[in-house]
Coordinates of all heavy atoms in Angstrom, one line a residue:
M1 N -3.1 -1.1 -0.1 CA -3.4 0.2 0.4 C -4.9 0.6 0.1 O -5.4 0.3 -0.9 CB -2.5 1.3 -0.2 CG -2.9 2.7 0.3 SD -2.3 4.1 -0.6 CE -0.5 3.9 -0.6
M2 N -5.5 1.1 1.1 CA -6.9 1.4 1.0 C -7.1 2.9 1.2 O -6.4 3.5 2.0 CB -7.8 0.7 2.0 CG -7.8 -0.8 1.7 SD -8.8 -1.7 2.9 CE -10.4 -1.1 2.7
F3 N -8.0 3.5 0.4 CA -8.3 4.9 0.6 C -9.8 5.2 0.3 O -10.4 4.4 -0.4 CB -7.4 5.8 -0.2 CG -7.4 5.6 -1.7 CD1 -8.3 6.3 -2.5 CD2 -6.6 4.7 -2.3 CE1 -8.4 6.1 -3.8 CE2 -6.7 4.4 -3.6 CZ -7.6 5.2 -4.4
P4 N -10.3 6.2 0.9 CA -11.8 6.4 0.7 C -12.1 6.9 -0.7 O -11.3 7.6 -1.3 CB -12.1 7.5 1.7 CG -10.8 8.2 2.0 CD -9.7 7.2 1.8
I5 N -13.2 6.5 -1.2 CA -13.8 7.0 -2.5 C -15.1 7.7 -2.2 O -16.0 7.0 -1.5 CB -13.9 5.9 -3.5 CG1 -12.6 5.3 -3.9 CG2 -14.6 6.4 -4.7 CD1 -12.6 4.2 -4.8
Y6 N -15.3 8.9 -2.6 CA -16.5 9.6 -2.3 C -17.4 9.6 -3.5 O -17.0 10.0 -4.6 CB -16.2 11.1 -1.9 CG -15.3 11.1 -0.7 CD1 -13.9 11.3 -0.8 CD2 -15.8 10.9 0.6 CE1 -13.1 11.3 0.3 CE2 -15.0 10.9 1.7 CZ -13.6 11.1 1.6 OH -12.8 11.0 2.7
L7 N -18.6 9.0 -3.3 CA -19.5 8.9 -4.4 C -20.6 9.9 -4.4 O -21.0 10.4 -3.3 CB -20.2 7.5 -4.4 CG -19.2 6.3 -4.4 CD1 -20.0 5.0 -4.1 CD2 -18.5 6.2 -5.7
D8 N -21.2 10.2 -5.5 CA -22.3 11.1 -5.7 C -23.5 10.3 -4.9 O -23.6 9.1 -5.0 CB -22.7 11.2 -7.2 CG -23.9 12.0 -7.4 OD1 -23.9 13.2 -7.5 OD2 -25.0 11.3 -7.5
A9 N -24.3 11.1 -4.2 CA -25.4 10.5 -3.4 C -26.3 9.5 -4.2 O -26.6 8.4 -3.8 CB -26.2 11.5 -2.7
A10 N -26.7 10.0 -5.4 CA -27.6 9.2 -6.2 C -26.9 7.9 -6.7 O -27.5 6.8 -6.7 CB -28.1 10.0 -7.4
L11 N -25.6 8.0 -7.1 CA -24.9 6.9 -7.5 C -24.7 5.9 -6.3 O -24.8 4.7 -6.5 CB -23.5 7.3 -8.1 CG -22.6 6.2 -8.5 CD1 -23.2 5.4 -9.6 CD2 -21.2 6.8 -8.9
Q12 N -24.4 6.4 -5.2 CA -24.2 5.6 -4.0 C -25.5 4.8 -3.7 O -25.4 3.6 -3.4 CB -23.8 6.4 -2.8 CG -23.6 5.5 -1.6 CD -23.1 6.3 -0.4 OE1 -22.6 7.4 -0.5 NE2 -23.2 5.7 0.8
K13 N -26.7 5.4 -3.8 CA -27.9 4.7 -3.6 C -28.1 3.5 -4.6 O -28.5 2.4 -4.2 CB -29.1 5.6 -3.7 CG -29.3 6.5 -2.4 CD -30.5 7.3 -2.6 CE -30.7 8.2 -1.3 NZ -31.9 9.0 -1.3
Q14 N -27.8 3.8 -5.9 CA -27.9 2.8 -6.9 C -27.0 1.6 -6.6 O -27.3 0.5 -6.8 CB -27.6 3.4 -8.3 CG -28.7 4.3 -8.8 CD -28.3 4.9 -10.1 OE1 -27.3 5.4 -10.3 NE2 -29.3 4.7 -11.1
L15 N -25.7 2.0 -6.3 CA -24.7 0.9 -6.0 C -25.1 0.1 -4.8 O -24.9 -1.1 -4.8 CB -23.3 1.5 -5.9 CG -22.7 2.0 -7.2 CD1 -21.4 2.8 -6.9 CD2 -22.5 0.9 -8.2
E16 N -25.6 0.7 -3.8 CA -26.0 0.0 -2.6 C -27.1 -1.0 -2.9 O -27.1 -2.1 -2.4 CB -26.4 1.0 -1.5 CG -25.3 1.7 -0.8 CD -25.7 2.8 0.1 OE1 -26.9 3.3 0.1 OE2 -24.9 3.3 0.9
A17 N -28.1 -0.5 -3.7 CA -29.2 -1.4 -4.0 C -28.7 -2.6 -4.9 O -29.1 -3.7 -4.7 CB -30.3 -0.6 -4.8
F18 N -27.8 -2.3 -5.8 CA -27.2 -3.3 -6.7 C -26.4 -4.3 -5.8 O -26.5 -5.5 -6.0 CB -26.3 -2.7 -7.7 CG -25.8 -3.7 -8.7 CD1 -26.6 -4.2 -9.7 CD2 -24.5 -4.1 -8.6 CE1 -26.1 -5.1 -10.6 CE2 -23.9 -5.0 -9.5 CZ -24.7 -5.5 -10.5
A19 N -25.6 -3.8 -4.9 CA -24.8 -4.7 -4.0 C -25.7 -5.6 -3.2 O -25.4 -6.8 -3.1 CB -24.0 -3.8 -3.1
R20 N -26.8 -5.1 -2.7 CA -27.8 -5.9 -1.9 C -28.3 -7.0 -2.8 O -28.4 -8.2 -2.3 CB -28.9 -5.0 -1.3 CG -28.6 -4.4 0.0 CD -29.9 -3.9 0.7 NE -30.6 -3.0 -0.2 CZ -30.4 -1.7 -0.3 NH1 -29.4 -1.1 0.3 NH2 -31.1 -0.9 -1.1
N21 N -28.7 -6.7 -4.0 CA -29.3 -7.7 -4.9 C -28.3 -8.7 -5.2 O -28.7 -9.9 -5.5 CB -29.8 -7.0 -6.1 CG -31.1 -6.2 -5.9 OD1 -31.8 -6.4 -4.9 ND2 -31.3 -5.2 -6.8
Q22 N -27.0 -8.4 -5.3 CA -26.0 -9.4 -5.6 C -25.4 -10.1 -4.4 O -24.6 -11.0 -4.5 CB -24.8 -8.6 -6.3 CG -25.1 -8.0 -7.6 CD -25.5 -9.0 -8.7 OE1 -24.8 -10.0 -8.9 NE2 -26.6 -8.7 -9.4
G23 N -25.9 -9.7 -3.2 CA -25.4 -10.3 -2.0 C -23.9 -10.0 -1.7 O -23.2 -10.8 -1.1
K24 N -23.5 -8.8 -2.1 CA -22.1 -8.3 -1.9 C -22.1 -7.0 -1.2 O -23.1 -6.3 -1.1 CB -21.4 -8.2 -3.3 CG -21.2 -9.4 -4.1 CD -20.5 -9.1 -5.3 CE -20.2 -10.4 -6.1 NZ -19.5 -10.1 -7.4
G25 N -20.9 -6.6 -0.7 CA -20.7 -5.3 -0.2 C -20.5 -4.3 -1.3 O -20.0 -4.6 -2.4
I26 N -20.8 -3.0 -1.0 CA -20.6 -2.0 -2.0 C -19.1 -1.9 -2.4 O -18.8 -1.6 -3.5 CB -21.2 -0.6 -1.5 CG1 -21.2 0.4 -2.7 CG2 -20.4 -0.1 -0.3 CD1 -22.0 1.7 -2.3
D27 N -18.2 -2.2 -1.4 CA -16.8 -2.1 -1.7 C -16.4 -3.1 -2.8 O -15.6 -2.9 -3.7 CB -15.9 -2.3 -0.5 CG -16.2 -3.6 0.3 OD1 -17.4 -4.1 0.2 OD2 -15.3 -4.2 0.9
Q28 N -17.0 -4.3 -2.7 CA -16.8 -5.4 -3.7 C -17.3 -4.9 -5.1 O -16.6 -5.2 -6.1 CB -17.4 -6.7 -3.3 CG -16.8 -7.3 -2.1 CD -17.6 -8.6 -1.7 OE1 -18.8 -8.4 -1.4 NE2 -16.9 -9.7 -1.7
I29 N -18.5 -4.4 -5.1 CA -19.1 -3.9 -6.4 C -18.2 -2.8 -7.0 O -17.9 -2.9 -8.2 CB -20.5 -3.4 -6.1 CG1 -21.4 -4.5 -5.6 CG2 -21.1 -2.8 -7.4 CD1 -21.6 -5.7 -6.6
V30 N -17.8 -1.8 -6.2 CA -17.0 -0.7 -6.8 C -15.6 -1.3 -7.3 O -15.2 -0.9 -8.4 CB -16.8 0.4 -5.7 CG1 -15.8 1.4 -6.2 CG2 -18.1 1.1 -5.4
N31 N -15.0 -2.2 -6.5 CA -13.8 -2.8 -7.0 C -13.9 -3.6 -8.3 O -13.1 -3.5 -9.2 CB -13.1 -3.7 -5.9 CG -12.3 -2.9 -4.9 OD1 -11.5 -2.1 -5.3 ND2 -12.6 -3.1 -3.6
D32 N -15.0 -4.3 -8.4 CA -15.3 -5.1 -9.6 C -15.5 -4.2 -10.8 O -15.0 -4.4 -11.9 CB -16.5 -6.0 -9.4 CG -16.3 -7.1 -8.5 OD1 -15.2 -7.5 -8.2 OD2 -17.4 -7.8 -8.1
I33 N -16.3 -3.1 -10.6 CA -16.5 -2.1 -11.7 C -15.2 -1.5 -12.1 O -14.9 -1.4 -13.3 CB -17.5 -1.0 -11.2 CG1 -18.9 -1.6 -11.0 CG2 -17.5 0.1 -12.2 CD1 -19.9 -0.7 -10.3
L34 N -14.4 -1.1 -11.2 CA -13.1 -0.4 -11.5 C -12.1 -1.4 -12.2 O -11.5 -1.0 -13.2 CB -12.4 0.2 -10.3 CG -13.2 1.4 -9.7 CD1 -12.5 1.8 -8.4 CD2 -13.2 2.5 -10.6
K35 N -12.1 -2.6 -11.8 CA -11.2 -3.6 -12.4 C -11.7 -3.9 -13.9 O -10.8 -3.9 -14.8 CB -11.2 -4.9 -11.7 CG -10.4 -4.9 -10.4 CD -10.5 -6.2 -9.7 CE -9.9 -6.1 -8.3 NZ -10.0 -7.4 -7.5
N36 N -13.0 -4.0 -14.1 CA -13.5 -4.3 -15.4 C -13.3 -3.1 -16.3 O -13.0 -3.2 -17.5 CB -15.0 -4.6 -15.3 CG -15.2 -6.0 -14.8 OD1 -14.4 -6.9 -14.9 ND2 -16.4 -6.2 -14.1
Q37 N -13.4 -1.9 -15.8 CA -13.2 -0.7 -16.6 C -11.8 -0.5 -17.0 O -11.5 -0.2 -18.1 CB -13.7 0.6 -15.7 CG -13.8 1.8 -16.5 CD -14.8 1.8 -17.6 OE1 -15.8 1.1 -17.5 NE2 -14.6 2.5 -18.7
L38 N -10.9 -0.8 -16.1 CA -9.4 -0.8 -16.4 C -9.1 -1.8 -17.5 O -8.3 -1.5 -18.4 CB -8.6 -1.0 -15.1 CG -7.1 -0.9 -15.3 CD1 -6.7 0.5 -15.8 CD2 -6.4 -1.2 -14.0
Q39 N -9.6 -3.0 -17.4 CA -9.4 -4.0 -18.4 C -9.9 -3.5 -19.7 O -9.2 -3.7 -20.8 CB -10.0 -5.3 -18.0 CG -9.3 -6.0 -16.9 CD -10.0 -7.3 -16.5 OE1 -11.1 -7.6 -16.9 NE2 -9.3 -8.2 -15.8
L40 N -11.1 -2.9 -19.8 CA -11.6 -2.4 -21.0 C -10.8 -1.3 -21.6 O -10.5 -1.3 -22.8 CB -13.1 -1.9 -20.8 CG -13.8 -1.3 -21.9 CD1 -13.9 -2.3 -23.1 CD2 -15.1 -0.7 -21.5
L41 N -10.4 -0.4 -20.8 CA -9.6 0.8 -21.2 C -8.2 0.3 -21.8 O -7.8 0.8 -22.8 CB -9.4 1.8 -20.1 CG -10.6 2.5 -19.7 CD1 -10.3 3.4 -18.5 CD2 -11.1 3.4 -20.8
T42 N -7.6 -0.7 -21.1 CA -6.3 -1.1 -21.6 C -6.4 -2.0 -22.9 O -5.5 -2.0 -23.7 CB -5.5 -1.9 -20.5 OG1 -6.3 -3.0 -20.0 CG2 -5.1 -1.0 -19.4
S43 N -7.6 -2.7 -23.0 CA -7.7 -3.4 -24.2 C -8.0 -2.5 -25.4 O -7.7 -2.9 -26.6 CB -8.8 -4.5 -24.1 OG -10.1 -3.9 -24.0
L44 N -8.7 -1.4 -25.2 CA -9.0 -0.5 -26.3 C -7.8 0.4 -26.7 O -7.7 0.8 -27.8 CB -10.1 0.5 -25.9 CG -11.5 -0.2 -25.7 CD1 -12.5 0.8 -25.1 CD2 -12.0 -0.8 -27.0
N45 N -6.8 0.6 -25.7 CA -5.7 1.4 -26.0 C -4.4 0.7 -25.4 O -3.8 1.1 -24.5 CB -5.8 2.8 -25.4 CG -4.8 3.7 -25.9 OD1 -4.0 3.4 -26.7 ND2 -4.9 5.0 -25.5
P46 N -4.0 -0.4 -26.1 CA -2.9 -1.3 -25.5 C -1.6 -0.6 -25.4 O -0.7 -0.9 -24.7 CB -2.9 -2.5 -26.4 CG -3.5 -2.0 -27.7 CD -4.5 -1.0 -27.3
S47 N -1.4 0.5 -26.2 CA -0.1 1.1 -26.2 C 0.1 2.0 -25.0 O 1.3 2.4 -24.7 CB 0.1 2.0 -27.5 OG -0.9 3.1 -27.5
K48 N -0.9 2.3 -24.3 CA -0.8 3.1 -23.1 C -1.2 2.3 -21.8 O -1.9 2.8 -21.0 CB -1.7 4.4 -23.2 CG -1.2 5.3 -24.3 CD -1.9 6.6 -24.3 CE -1.3 7.4 -25.4 NZ -1.9 8.7 -25.5
R49 N -0.8 1.1 -21.7 CA -1.1 0.3 -20.5 C -0.3 0.8 -19.3 O 0.8 1.1 -19.4 CB -0.7 -1.2 -20.8 CG -1.7 -1.8 -21.7 CD -1.5 -3.3 -21.7 NE -2.5 -3.9 -22.4 CZ -2.3 -4.9 -23.3 NH1 -1.1 -5.4 -23.5 NH2 -3.3 -5.4 -24.0
P50 N -1.0 0.9 -18.2 CA -0.3 1.4 -17.0 C 0.6 0.3 -16.5 O 0.4 -0.9 -16.7 CB -1.5 1.6 -16.0 CG -2.5 0.7 -16.5 CD -2.4 0.6 -18.0
N51 N 1.7 0.7 -15.8 CA 2.6 -0.3 -15.2 C 1.9 -0.7 -13.8 O 2.2 -0.1 -12.8 CB 3.9 0.3 -14.9 CG 4.7 0.6 -16.2 OD1 4.4 -0.1 -17.2 ND2 5.5 1.6 -16.2
A52 N 1.0 -1.7 -13.9 CA 0.3 -2.1 -12.7 C 0.6 -3.6 -12.5 O 1.1 -4.3 -13.3 CB -1.2 -1.9 -13.0
T53 N 0.2 -4.0 -11.3 CA 0.5 -5.4 -11.0 C -0.7 -6.3 -11.4 O -0.7 -7.5 -11.3 CB 0.6 -5.6 -9.4 OG1 -0.5 -5.0 -8.8 CG2 1.9 -4.9 -9.0
L54 N -1.7 -5.7 -12.1 CA -2.9 -6.4 -12.5 C -2.5 -7.3 -13.7 O -3.0 -8.4 -13.9 CB -4.0 -5.5 -13.0 CG -4.6 -4.7 -11.9 CD1 -5.7 -3.8 -12.5 CD2 -5.2 -5.6 -10.8
Q55 N -1.5 -6.8 -14.5 CA -1.1 -7.6 -15.7 C 0.4 -7.8 -15.6 O 1.1 -6.9 -15.2 CB -1.4 -6.9 -16.9 CG -2.9 -6.7 -17.1 CD -3.2 -5.9 -18.4 OE1 -2.3 -5.2 -18.9 NE2 -4.5 -5.9 -18.8
R56 N 0.8 -9.0 -16.0 CA 2.2 -9.3 -16.1 C 2.8 -8.7 -17.4 O 2.3 -9.0 -18.4 CB 2.4 -10.8 -16.0 CG 3.8 -11.2 -15.6 CD 3.8 -12.7 -15.3 NE 5.1 -13.0 -14.8 CZ 5.6 -14.2 -14.9 NH1 4.9 -15.2 -15.4 NH2 6.8 -14.4 -14.4
P57 N 3.9 -7.9 -17.3 CA 4.5 -7.4 -18.5 C 5.1 -8.4 -19.4 O 5.7 -9.4 -18.9 CB 5.6 -6.4 -18.0 CG 5.8 -6.8 -16.6 CD 4.6 -7.5 -16.1
S58 N 4.9 -8.3 -20.7 CA 5.5 -9.3 -21.6 C 7.0 -8.9 -21.9 O 7.3 -7.7 -21.9 CB 4.7 -9.4 -22.9 OG 4.7 -8.1 -23.5
R59 N 7.8 -9.9 -22.1 CA 9.2 -9.6 -22.4 C 9.3 -9.6 -23.9 O 8.8 -10.5 -24.6 CB 10.1 -10.7 -21.8 CG 10.1 -10.6 -20.3 CD 11.1 -11.7 -19.9 NE 11.6 -11.2 -18.6 CZ 12.8 -11.6 -18.1 NH1 13.5 -12.5 -18.7 NH2 13.2 -11.1 -16.9
A60 N 10.1 -8.7 -24.4 CA 10.3 -8.6 -25.9 C 11.4 -9.7 -26.2 O 12.3 -9.9 -25.5 CB 10.9 -7.3 -26.3
R61 N 11.1 -10.4 -27.2 CA 12.0 -11.5 -27.6 C 13.0 -11.0 -28.7 O 12.6 -10.4 -29.7 CB 11.3 -12.7 -28.2 CG 10.4 -13.3 -27.1 CD 9.8 -14.6 -27.6 NE 9.0 -15.1 -26.5 CZ 8.0 -16.0 -26.7 NH1 7.8 -16.5 -27.9 NH2 7.4 -16.5 -25.7
R62 N 14.3 -11.3 -28.5 CA 15.3 -10.9 -29.4 C 15.5 -12.0 -30.4 O 15.3 -13.2 -30.2 CB 16.6 -10.6 -28.7 CG 16.5 -9.5 -27.7 CD 17.8 -9.2 -27.1 NE 18.7 -8.6 -28.1 CZ 19.9 -8.2 -27.9 NH1 20.5 -8.4 -26.7 NH2 20.6 -7.7 -28.8
K63 N 15.8 -11.5 -31.6 CA 16.1 -12.5 -32.7 C 17.5 -13.2 -32.4 O 18.4 -12.6 -31.8 CB 16.3 -11.8 -34.0 CG 15.0 -11.2 -34.5 CD 15.2 -10.6 -35.9 CE 13.9 -10.0 -36.4 NZ 14.2 -9.3 -37.7
P64 N 17.6 -14.4 -32.8 CA 18.9 -15.0 -32.7 C 20.0 -14.3 -33.5 O 19.7 -13.6 -34.4 CB 18.7 -16.4 -33.3 CG 17.3 -16.6 -33.4 CD 16.6 -15.3 -33.4
K65 N 21.2 -14.3 -33.0 CA 22.3 -13.6 -33.6 C 22.4 -13.8 -35.1 O 22.7 -12.9 -35.9 CB 23.7 -13.9 -33.0 CG 23.8 -13.2 -31.7 CD 25.2 -13.4 -31.1 CE 25.4 -12.6 -29.9 NZ 26.8 -12.6 -29.4
S66 N 22.1 -15.0 -35.6 CA 22.2 -15.3 -37.0 C 21.1 -14.6 -37.8 O 21.3 -14.4 -39.0 CB 22.0 -16.8 -37.2 OG 20.7 -17.2 -36.7
Q67 N 20.1 -14.1 -37.2 CA 19.0 -13.4 -37.9 C 19.1 -11.9 -37.7 O 18.3 -11.2 -38.3 CB 17.7 -13.9 -37.4 CG 17.4 -15.3 -37.8 CD 16.0 -15.8 -37.3 OE1 15.3 -15.0 -36.7 NE2 15.7 -17.0 -37.5
R68 N 20.0 -11.4 -36.9 CA 20.1 -9.9 -36.7 C 20.9 -9.3 -37.8 O 21.8 -9.9 -38.4 CB 20.9 -9.7 -35.4 CG 20.1 -10.1 -34.2 CD 20.8 -9.7 -32.9 NE 20.3 -10.5 -31.8 CZ 21.0 -10.7 -30.7 NH1 22.1 -10.1 -30.5 NH2 20.5 -11.5 -29.8
R69 N 20.6 -8.1 -38.1 CA 21.3 -7.3 -39.1 C 22.6 -6.8 -38.5 O 22.7 -6.4 -37.3 CB 20.5 -6.1 -39.6 CG 19.3 -6.5 -40.4 CD 18.7 -5.3 -41.1 NE 18.7 -4.1 -40.3 CZ 17.9 -3.1 -40.5 NH1 17.0 -3.1 -41.4 NH2 18.0 -2.0 -39.8
P70 N 23.7 -6.7 -39.2 CA 25.0 -6.3 -38.6 C 24.9 -4.8 -38.3 O 24.2 -4.0 -39.0 CB 26.0 -6.5 -39.7 CG 25.3 -6.8 -41.0 CD 23.9 -7.2 -40.6
R71 N 25.6 -4.3 -37.3 CA 25.6 -2.9 -36.9 C 26.4 -2.1 -38.0 O 27.4 -2.6 -38.5 CB 26.2 -2.7 -35.6 CG 25.4 -3.2 -34.4 CD 26.1 -2.8 -33.2 NE 25.2 -3.2 -32.0 CZ 25.6 -2.9 -30.8 NH1 26.7 -2.3 -30.5 NH2 24.8 -3.3 -29.8
A72 N 26.0 -0.9 -38.1 CA 26.7 0.0 -39.0 C 28.0 0.4 -38.4 O 28.1 0.6 -37.1 CB 25.9 1.2 -39.3
A73 N 29.1 0.5 -39.2 CA 30.4 0.9 -38.6 C 30.4 2.3 -38.1 O 29.8 3.2 -38.8 CB 31.5 0.7 -39.7
R74 N 31.0 2.5 -37.0 CA 31.1 3.9 -36.4 C 32.3 4.6 -36.9 O 33.4 3.9 -37.0 CB 31.1 3.9 -34.9 CG 29.8 3.4 -34.4 CD 29.8 3.5 -32.9 NE 28.5 2.9 -32.3 CZ 28.1 3.1 -31.1 NH1 28.8 3.9 -30.3 NH2 27.0 2.6 -30.7
G75 N 32.2 5.8 -37.2 CA 33.4 6.5 -37.8 C 33.9 7.6 -37.0 O 33.9 8.2 -36.1

């Protein structure tokens, strides 16, 4: 899904110049910046990772039955 992003005029000029120097479109530059920023944010705060398709969720591994503690009896 694509949607428009509205940039500050000064920021847009800087990004356009940067994109030209890199031989890329401004859309590629903005996407690269956002992906890198998201990776940085999630690495700094791993407990609040978004449920996104960028990263594959890890599965919690259960202990074998022989290593589990017995359940308390219900009364």
Side-chain angles (χ1 to χ4, degrees):
M1 178 196 301
M2 294 178 60
F3 59 94
I5 295 177
Y6 301 99
L7 302 172
D8 175 89
L11 177 62
Q12 183 174 342
K13 283 184 180 184
Q14 288 179 309
L15 289 172
E16 286 171 343
F18 184 76
R20 271 193 308 276
N21 289 336
Q22 297 294 313
K24 295 181 177 182
I26 192 170
D27 58 327
Q28 291 174 302
I29 297 297
V30 171
N31 276 309
D32 290 346
I33 291 169
L34 291 174
K35 286 177 188 178
N36 289 331
Q37 191 66 31
L38 183 59
Q39 287 177 346
L40 175 63
L41 291 172
T42 56
S43 69
L44 293 175
N45 196 357
S47 64
K48 294 188 178 181
R49 287 193 172 135
N51 291 333
T53 57
L54 296 178
Q55 295 177 344
R56 197 168 187 205
S58 63
R59 291 183 154 203
R61 294 186 180 163
R62 295 183 74 179
K63 292 182 181 180
K65 284 188 177 186
S66 61
Q67 294 179 3
R68 292 184 203 161
R69 291 191 326 200
R71 288 188 178 181
R74 293 185 184 197

